[in-house]
Amino acid sequence: KQEVTQIPAALSVPEGENLVLNCSFTDSAIYNLQWFRQDPGKGLTSLLLIQSSQREQTSGRLNASLDKSSGRSTLYIAASQPGDSATYLCAVSPYGNNRLAFGKGNQVVVIP
Amino acid sequence: GAVVSQHPSRVICKSGTSVKIECRSLDFQATTMFWYRQFPKQSLMLMATSNEGSKATYEQGVEKDKFLINHASLTLSTLTVTSAHPEDSSFYICSAHGPQETQYFGPGTRLLVL
């Protein structure tokens, strides 16, 4: 069974600092990995999707890397802003279906 | 962009009643939709995979008679929590498999059973 772990569970940073969020998964036989953002009491917004053949994806201030063999992904958020405060969820999809396995999330607070 | 809606956004009901939650893909067709449950400070747990025109596939430990899923069209899946109890109180989120091999998530439904 795929286990997804996210570290740290929670962090607070001053505005302007770079954020580094880590995700690890136990089964490297994945089809893709996604990072999502979730605001309190809300649904999920997809941030980045990395296919298993890719090493990284970038969108604006966000960059996600994937090391499939070691079962790790890192989400970098450059020059953090208070609006980045949210929970960031990592999810992996196995080959053959789309049943996502989620981590518990990294809860981020960016202090103005 | 691909949009998924859920209705209602919040529901409070008495113990023993049944509650229906709708999940709609607004601008794309989805042969497959997914239902998740999320408890506070916990990750999303997949409950079942909803397939248009066929029976849903439930995850281990999820009671199919308790959580009835119907996927009658390519844009609508419903989850009915039957004989709800306080322990069913949770945040229920659906997703639809859409364009670019991405799952698009609904805004979620907060269920509180008194």
Side-chain angles (χ1 to χ4, degrees):
Chain A
K1 180 185 176 184
Q2 180 74 271
E3 299 284 345
V4 182
T5 304
Q6 291 186 245
I7 296 172
L11 72 161
S12 296
V13 298
E15 181 177 1
E17 274 200 9
N18 298 329
L19 283 163
V20 180
L21 308 178
N22 296 300
C23 171
S24 61
F25 45 95
T26 53
D27 187 348
S28 62
I30 64 168
Y31 184 63
N32 60 42
L33 180 146
Q34 283 186 261
W35 283 93
F36 295 89
R37 170 184 172 137
Q38 185 177 31
D39 292 290
K42 304 292 184 182
L44 276 63
T45 301
S46 180
L47 298 174
L48 291 167
L49 182 149
I50 311 176
Q51 300 292 352
S52 62
S53 58
Q54 297 175 320
R55 298 284 292 185
E56 66 176 348
Q57 280 286 344
T58 298
S59 176
R61 294 184 293 112
L62 276 61
N63 174 276
S65 64
L66 173 64
D67 184 342
K68 197 177 81 163
S69 60
S70 67
R72 296 182 182 181
S73 176
T74 301
L75 178 66
Y76 300 87
I77 302 177
S80 62
Q81 302 170 357
D84 295 330
S85 299
T87 297
Y88 293 83
L89 294 165
C90 168
V92 295
S93 175
Y95 280 99
N97 62 65
N98 297 295
R99 295 166 60 248
L100 295 179
F102 282 86
K104 290 185 178 181
N106 307 105
Q107 187 175 1
V108 172
V109 174
V110 179
I111 304 166
Chain B
V3 178
V4 175
S5 69
Q6 276 185 246
H7 177 79
S9 59
R10 183 183 295 267
V11 58
I12 301 173
C13 69
K14 293 182 179 179
S15 184
T17 61
S18 294
V19 175
K20 180 185 283 188
I21 303 171
E22 292 185 348
C23 176
R24 292 182 185 273
S25 57
L26 298 185
D27 49 5
F28 65 98
Q29 294 183 332
T31 55
T32 304
M33 292 184 174
F34 302 89
W35 287 96
Y36 297 84
R37 181 167 54 184
Q38 185 180 33
F39 291 107
K41 305 287 186 183
Q42 299 297 312
S43 64
L44 276 72
M45 297 299 297
L46 179 64
M47 299 175 65
T49 302
S50 173
N51 303 297
E52 188 269 337
S54 64
K55 292 182 179 180
T57 304
Y58 290 81
E59 295 299 304
Q60 190 173 10
V62 178
E63 301 175 56
K64 60 182 179 181
D65 295 330
K66 172 86 174 159
F67 300 98
L68 301 179
I69 291 173
N70 184 276
H71 195 154
S73 77
L74 289 171
T75 59
L76 173 64
S77 176
T78 60
L79 168 68
T80 302
V81 183
T82 62
S83 186
H85 292 284
E87 57 265 30
D88 298 324
S89 299
S90 187
F91 192 55
Y92 292 86
I93 306 178
C94 73
S95 71
H97 188 58
Q100 300 172 354
E101 300 186 348
T102 299
Q103 281 193 34
Y104 295 88
F105 284 79
T109 297
R110 177 77 59 191
L111 171 63
L112 176 61
V113 184
L114 302 177

